[in-house]
Amino acid sequence: MHKLRLKFSKKGPIKFIGHLDVMRYFQKAIRRADIDIKYSEGFSPHQLLSFAQPLSVGATSDGEYLDMVVNSFTSEKDIMDRLNSVCNEGITIRAVRELDEKEEKAMTLSFAAKYEVRMRQSSQLPAGWTDDFMRFLSRDKLPAMKKTKSGEKEIDMKPMIFDCRPLTDGDGVELILSMNSKETLKVSLLFQYFFESCGLDFSPVYLNINRADIYRLFTDPDGRRYIEPFIPANDDERFYLDG
Amino acid sequence: MNYKLALSDETLLSIEKPERYIGNEVNAVYKDKDKVDIRFAFCFPDVYEIGMSHLGIQILYGLFNSYPDVWCERVYSPWIDMDRLMRGQNIPLFALESQDKVRDFDFLGFTLQYEMCYTNILQVLDLSGIPLFSRERTWDDPLVIGGGPCSYNPEPIADFFDIFYIGEGETRYRELFDLYKDLKESGISRDEFLRRVSGIPGMYVPSLYDVKYKEDGTILSMEPKFSDVPKKVNKELCTDLSNEFYPTKPVVPYIKVTQDRVVLEIMRGCIRGCRFCQAGQLYKPLREKSLEYLEKIAIESLKNTGYEEISLSSLSSSDYSKLPELLDFLIDKCNEKKVNISLPSLRIDAFSLDVMSKVQDVKKSSLTFAPEAGTQRMRDVINKGLTEEDILRGSRQAFLGGWNKVKLYFMLGLPGETDSDILGIGDIANKIAKEYFETVPREKRGGRTVEIVASTSFFVPKPFTPFQWAPMNSKEEFLDKANKTRKGIMSQLNQKHIRYNWHEADATMMEGIFARGDRRLSDVILAAYKKGCIFDAWSEYFKFDTWMEVFSEAGIDPFFYTTRERDDDEIFPWDIINCGVAREFLLREYKSALTGKPSANCRQRCLGCGATSYGVGVCMEEKSGA
């Protein structure tokens, strides 16, 4: 029995496919790829498969993660090639890592996510909005009402924003936001308050969102907290939280 | 794969289920449009989830796309929210793969699976910007062609179609495409082209026929306008299904659809000859596919789709002669891959129960019987060879095997039905419950008890069945019968264990009108569409009152088509078509029905229906003589 973690991107029209259907998509892809996945016991066995975090419908991604348990496999690359040969619908497996047996699920370990946010045509934001946005984020506090299971509660969004910078091409921003079991900040909530501060109507469909990656939390030998993608593409993707 | 969508992100995010409109599913076919000669848009005129569940489109989609010069794409009815949006913003209807406008295609094909989709055909034409009437179209419009069960009486929608394809689609499309390639650029008129099309077997071009009516409204004559147009159109049929194309790479939808599994069609046709059943006549004679062929198809399809379930498809799977061998093979292969097997339309007996206990969770699954009528007398009338003893024995064996849920299907309004036939429904349901209590002792029930669901639908006489002459019940009669059925069930000793459902009578009446309707109904359908009728098959959108209003405005009596008894020699609107089964045979069967005389099935004795002229399938087998 082996635990594997896969990093994949989701691009193109498949961005309109919701989380549960993406799961069903992978279940079928795994069968097509003939991967020796492990099934649960019982009368209706299911594949041992879990995703790090749902991605909202309409958003693309370069860094989604799924964990799977297999009975056997030849190599990480073989798993990646097999899946990529049966997935041509906008899903691309970018990396596969075998995990330690005791490794917790990506779902439990997720700590933050990096997003690139641009505006769709329908949004009324004037050009140069990114300067306004940076100014908005520089406020001491960013109070917001967040919907919870039991109603609404007031939160401060500010500590949930780890980083923000304008994209180099100037028409959007890159954000690192908290995304864990304790606190999760949705891109759309943050922008709802930004639009409000500009006196503009808001709809989540204005936002063109790409999730760049999902991060987990580490502490270095000096006791400094940093985050890093589950499977980094480069060595320099470490991001220190406390400056 | 195609990243360029017809709709903006904002639009797709503001409607229900954007997945219905984006294409790009697994196994969807993409071609370079500059490298094909023919672009075919294939439409199932209902919502995506229904249309994607249909095997026929998957077969022809795969077949057409296997031709290098053809690119076949899919179209479904935009759901109500999208329909409104497209009209509001003048967005033309597009095909899923290329996302190109349907109007720019060479062909627009419709599969006609049920009568209640007729207004949706107009919706698709309208949203595409294609003139609704065949006579108003030019070479700038696609050729509009229909096929499937309702094309065996296409007259109510004849004016909207350029061509109907009568029979199984595998055989003649290639000829049609070749003729189109030869003639399209030759300067020939569209009318002249259609006249040439009528020379291809199976092609019915309705505009080439004149219909004259008698004073009483029945048909006087239906004659070709030209001497080179055939007087009758013969059904097309595949003679060798084991060497025929079958799609082992069907398109796999992202979202859950009604039929979300590999569908393995094991045979076509049926030996049973139930007198109410249209499919039983249309697909005659029964032709089985070889075991080796099916094994190969099953393995390839599972491999290419990744589906976790496979289902056998046929009109009566128990009649497949190699069923035990096929199931052994599938159980073996599927266990290995954790694939489920679903077995609809199996006769309940010791064999099928044994198989079902291997592939299903007995506690969750239910048994299905379709006695169709409440008494043996009535079952003899309809020639349904299922006896009360069969049902009770099957139930007993099932209860011993751990089952406790039973579903029963009946029809109300069958010819010659009496109150005792109606009350027989409650009676048989009660006997099944009694069987349970006598078979399973209290200590073995494990806190469970027997659950019986009896459902009735209202009988609609269909063309090319022995009952094509029979009067249909009125809505009032139907509702009265449903009420009697309910009371009959309520009066039973075990009534607490029996649940009863019945279908809607209004929709059944409309189905009855169109099933045996004629060409004069085109105007009614158009008027209803203009008054907002679409998705009539969906009870929440079906507007019965609007339909009745339209009939009265058009001065057409709907009961002419339903409750009227037809004379033996009446000319029917569908007589222009030869479905392979002789009218004399159907009439003979009708007379037998009225005297309560059952007939043999095709494996026992040949009844001389006429299908033997195809020279294939069960017609060529030796008979058991029973």
Side-chain angles (χ1 to χ4, degrees):
Chain A
M1 193 185 90
H2 308 268
K3 279 187 183 175
L4 300 174
R5 180 161 294 155
L6 280 68
K7 180 178 192 173
F8 66 92
S9 60
K10 185 185 181 193
K11 298 279 173 173
I14 202 172
K15 72 183 175 189
F16 293 107
I17 307 303
H19 181 61
L20 290 176
D21 291 323
V22 170
M23 252 169 99
R24 285 166 14 91
Y25 173 86
F26 267 101
Q27 288 163 355
K28 293 190 178 79
I30 285 166
R31 288 170 182 279
R32 291 197 298 274
D34 221 354
I35 287 169
D36 185 16
I37 190 148
K38 194 171 160 56
Y39 284 84
S40 67
E41 307 293 324
F43 204 92
S44 41
H46 58 265
Q47 299 177 352
L48 295 180
L49 197 65
S50 69
F51 287 77
Q53 289 289 330
L55 181 67
S56 48
V57 172
T60 56
S61 179
D62 291 301
E64 297 299 294
Y65 292 90
L66 79 86
D67 293 350
M68 62 163 88
V69 183
V70 295
N71 297 307
S72 66
F73 73 109
T74 45
S75 69
E76 291 163 343
K77 184 168 182 308
D78 181 60
I79 293 278
M80 184 159 98
D81 292 347
R82 275 165 181 271
L83 276 172
N84 281 336
S85 72
V86 297
C87 294
N88 56 359
E89 291 78 27
I91 299 271
T92 308
I93 312 299
R94 304 184 62 198
V96 178
R97 282 281 167 83
E98 184 174 7
L99 305 174
D100 187 86
E101 237 178 86
K102 288 187 223 99
E103 172 94 354
E104 285 186 81
K105 286 181 177 166
M107 199 188 299
T108 322
L109 295 171
S110 313
F111 187 80
K114 186 198 273 183
Y115 299 93
E116 290 137 19
V117 184
R118 295 176 171 84
M119 289 301 138
R120 293 204 170 104
Q121 275 184 342
S122 52
S123 126
Q124 301 293 308
L125 275 186
W129 64 271
T130 52
D131 294 342
D132 297 335
F133 186 72
M134 297 305 287
R135 255 194 305 282
F136 171 70
L137 291 198
S138 67
R139 295 179 183 181
D140 289 343
K141 275 193 167 203
L142 292 169
M145 295 303 289
K146 188 182 175 178
K147 284 200 185 90
T148 65
K149 277 170 202 151
S150 52
E152 281 197 328
K153 69 169 184 182
E154 189 175 312
I155 56 158
D156 181 9
M157 298 185 286
K158 180 93 183 188
M160 302 185 205
I161 304 164
F162 300 134
D163 190 36
C164 180
R165 58 192 73 194
L167 289 167
T168 41
D169 57 14
D171 67 348
V173 294
E174 184 182 274
L175 286 159
I176 299 180
L177 305 179
S178 182
M179 185 176 73
N180 54 58
S181 55
K182 267 201 217 120
E183 43 185 33
T184 292
L185 179 56
K186 282 194 171 164
V187 176
S188 59
L189 187 74
L190 181 58
F191 275 85
Q192 179 192 326
Y193 282 91
F194 170 59
F195 271 66
E196 205 170 274
S197 77
C198 306
L200 292 170
D201 279 343
F202 176 73
S203 161
V205 309
Y206 298 160
L207 306 178
N208 178 357
I209 301 172
N210 181 56
R211 184 143 80 188
D213 221 321
I214 299 176
Y215 292 70
R216 59 187 294 187
L217 180 67
F218 295 92
T219 310
D220 75 5
D222 304 330
R224 293 165 64 206
R225 296 191 313 150
Y226 68 89
I227 57 175
E228 196 175 62
F230 278 108
I231 305 179
N234 310 301
D235 299 337
D236 58 355
E237 291 195 60
R238 192 177 281 201
F239 180 87
Y240 279 89
L241 288 183
D242 311 306
Chain B
M1 131 138 254
N2 176 14
Y3 273 55
K4 186 192 98 291
L5 299 182
L7 301 167
S8 70
D9 283 9
E10 284 93 332
T11 301
L12 285 164
L13 289 170
S14 65
I15 48 149
E16 247 180 81
K17 302 204 183 173
E19 302 92 330
R20 288 168 175 160
Y21 311 104
I22 61 172
N24 286 294
E25 303 95 324
V26 173
N27 296 336
V29 177
Y30 287 85
K31 296 192 181 187
D32 180 344
K33 62 181 162 197
D34 299 325
K35 291 188 180 144
V36 295
D37 300 316
I38 290 175
R39 299 193 61 191
F40 196 108
F42 210 141
C43 176
F44 190 114
D46 206 321
V47 73
Y48 178 89
E49 293 91 313
I50 303 290
M52 275 299 283
S53 306
H54 180 241
L55 175 63
I57 287 196
Q58 296 269 17
I59 294 176
L60 294 181
Y61 180 84
L63 177 69
F64 294 174
N65 281 321
S66 75
Y67 304 142
D69 57 341
V70 180
W71 185 10
C72 177
E73 306 183 34
R74 293 159 299 140
V75 180
Y76 302 101
S77 295
W79 189 240
I80 306 280
D81 58 344
M82 181 57 101
D83 177 278
R84 226 168 266 153
L85 199 142
M86 292 176 93
R87 285 171 206 272
Q89 301 182 15
N90 276 321
I91 301 172
L93 187 62
F94 51 90
L96 291 188
E97 283 80 357
S98 64
Q99 302 267 315
D100 288 341
K101 287 185 269 181
V102 170
R103 184 157 188 234
D104 296 339
F105 279 62
D106 299 292
F107 288 88
L108 169 57
F110 284 96
T111 180
L112 308 169
Q113 294 295 314
Y114 32 85
E115 292 82 1
M116 301 302 276
C117 74
Y118 289 169
T119 53
N120 279 43
I121 295 168
L122 298 184
Q123 176 213 22
V124 167
L125 292 170
D126 199 7
L127 290 177
S128 302
I130 298 169
L132 302 183
F133 285 105
S134 165
R135 59 174 178 268
E136 292 167 0
R137 293 182 199 133
T138 69
W139 271 129
D140 290 338
D141 302 300
L143 288 156
V144 178
I145 182 166
C150 292
S151 64
Y152 285 89
N153 177 26
E155 291 304 289
I157 45 173
D159 291 350
F160 308 129
F161 281 81
D162 301 320
I163 311 166
F164 290 103
Y165 182 120
I166 310 300
E168 295 171 350
E170 287 96 336
T171 57
R172 296 289 176 178
Y173 269 108
R174 188 62 254 182
E175 265 169 78
L176 178 63
F177 296 156
D178 288 338
L179 187 71
Y180 178 80
K181 275 170 61 173
D182 284 351
L183 295 181
K184 170 88 194 268
E185 306 301 337
S186 71
I188 190 176
S189 74
R190 202 172 188 270
D191 284 345
E192 187 56 31
F193 173 75
L194 288 173
R195 198 161 143 192
R196 294 284 297 272
V197 168
S198 75
I200 302 176
M203 302 290 162
Y204 170 45
V205 178
S207 58
L208 296 177
Y209 296 81
D210 272 326
V211 189
K212 293 201 178 81
Y213 299 91
K214 294 183 191 166
E215 226 164 87
D216 66 3
T218 60
I219 291 173
L220 175 68
S221 67
M222 223 173 144
E223 294 294 331
K225 290 178 182 167
F226 308 98
S227 60
D228 57 347
V229 174
K231 280 182 159 316
K232 274 217 174 213
V233 180
N234 297 321
K235 170 180 86 170
E236 276 298 303
L237 179 115
C238 296
T239 50
D240 185 7
L241 286 174
S242 299
N243 283 301
E244 192 49 83
F245 174 88
Y246 194 80
T248 55
K249 286 188 89 174
V251 181
V252 181
Y254 291 117
I255 53 174
K256 273 198 179 158
V257 300
T258 314
Q259 178 89 261
D260 212 5
R261 48 189 73 84
V262 169
V263 180
L264 187 65
E265 186 196 41
I266 58 175
M267 55 188 185
R268 275 186 206 165
C270 184
I271 58 169
R272 295 279 149 188
C274 299
R275 290 174 180 139
F276 55 84
C277 178
Q278 190 188 33
Q281 303 297 343
L282 297 185
Y283 303 115
K284 271 182 171 174
L286 174 120
R287 290 146 291 153
E288 296 191 355
K289 299 185 184 180
S290 75
L291 184 61
E292 305 73 58
Y293 175 82
L294 292 177
E295 289 176 356
K296 186 171 149 272
I297 298 273
I299 296 301
E300 281 179 27
S301 305
L302 288 168
K303 168 85 187 147
N304 290 336
T305 59
Y307 269 125
E308 46 286 285
E309 188 168 324
I310 184 166
S311 173
L312 301 189
S313 167
S314 77
L315 292 169
S316 170
S317 295
S318 295
D319 292 328
Y320 180 63
S321 56
K322 300 248 168 47
L323 188 65
E325 292 89 338
L326 177 63
L327 288 173
D328 277 349
F329 173 84
L330 288 178
I331 289 171
D332 192 42
K333 290 288 166 197
C334 292
N335 266 351
E336 220 173 89
K337 302 257 172 196
K338 306 273 192 282
V339 171
N340 300 316
I341 305 172
S342 85
L343 300 168
S345 74
L346 276 196
R347 197 165 43 239
I348 304 294
D349 56 21
F351 167 74
S352 63
L353 289 169
D354 178 52
V355 171
M356 282 157 62
S357 68
K358 285 182 195 156
V359 304
Q360 300 172 344
D361 186 347
V362 171
K363 279 186 188 137
K364 283 186 196 145
S365 62
S366 58
L367 302 168
T368 304
F369 292 101
E372 309 292 2
T375 58
Q376 193 55 46
R377 187 196 74 82
M378 198 69 226
R379 286 193 293 274
D380 286 345
V381 168
I382 60 177
N383 201 31
K384 180 86 193 183
L386 180 70
T387 65
E388 185 171 298
E389 178 45 30
D390 292 334
I391 296 167
L392 294 180
R393 189 180 345 104
S395 303
R396 186 161 61 242
Q397 288 166 341
F399 295 149
L400 287 170
W403 276 273
N404 69 326
K405 296 189 186 80
V406 181
K407 282 189 206 156
L408 299 171
Y409 290 98
F410 299 94
M411 280 185 287
L412 292 173
L414 290 162
E417 184 179 54
T418 65
D419 280 2
S420 72
D421 299 315
I422 296 168
L423 295 176
I425 293 173
D427 195 45
I428 200 161
N430 188 60
K431 281 181 181 156
I432 293 170
K434 185 161 164 271
E435 197 70 39
Y436 177 82
F437 293 115
E438 286 170 3
T439 310
V440 188
R442 187 177 297 273
E443 63 276 13
K444 288 211 170 153
R445 290 176 205 160
R448 301 189 307 150
T449 186
V450 64
E451 294 168 36
I452 297 167
V453 181
S455 304
T456 59
S457 59
F458 296 122
F459 171 62
V460 177
K462 295 269 165 128
F464 296 115
T465 67
F467 291 155
Q468 63 180 352
W469 285 272
M472 186 173 143
N473 281 174
S474 68
K475 179 181 159 185
E476 291 71 27
E477 286 169 305
F478 277 142
L479 293 175
D480 180 52
K481 287 177 177 185
N483 210 15
K484 279 184 182 146
T485 308
R486 189 178 54 81
K487 283 189 185 146
I489 289 173
M490 295 291 283
S491 70
Q492 299 292 335
L493 192 62
N494 292 307
Q495 53 98 356
K496 331 202 271 285
H497 299 278
I498 309 166
R499 231 177 55 223
Y500 175 50
N501 303 317
W502 67 93
H503 281 210
E504 273 176 69
D506 290 345
T508 306
M509 178 178 166
M510 293 307 307
E511 194 187 325
I513 294 168
F514 294 132
R516 293 188 290 173
D518 57 35
R519 234 172 237 210
R520 290 169 295 193
L521 293 178
S522 290
D523 289 335
V524 176
I525 295 168
L526 178 62
Y529 170 71
K530 286 196 166 152
K531 288 195 172 195
C533 290
I534 49 167
F535 286 102
D536 295 302
W538 296 72
S539 56
E540 63 268 48
Y541 295 108
F542 175 57
K543 298 177 181 144
F544 183 69
D545 296 342
T546 308
W547 277 102
M548 290 301 106
E549 215 173 276
V550 168
F551 271 103
S552 99
E553 283 165 13
I556 292 179
D557 173 18
F559 298 102
F560 174 79
Y561 300 99
T562 55
T563 55
R564 185 172 61 88
E565 170 127 37
R566 273 87 166 154
D567 287 338
D568 288 359
D569 57 358
E570 178 174 330
I571 297 174
F572 296 136
W574 54 94
D575 281 344
I576 194 82
I577 286 159
N578 166 25
C579 88
V581 171
R583 187 180 161 115
E584 302 74 51
F585 161 76
L586 295 173
L587 190 60
R588 215 155 62 224
E589 279 291 293
Y590 184 43
K591 303 290 177 192
S592 296
L594 295 178
T595 55
K597 219 175 88 203
S599 290
N601 73 46
C602 297
R603 283 215 165 105
Q604 294 167 325
R605 190 163 59 77
C606 177
L607 300 176
C609 73
T612 188
S613 66
Y614 293 104
V616 291
V618 69
C619 296
M620 301 292 107
E621 288 175 19
E622 211 153 301
K623 307 297 172 216
S624 71

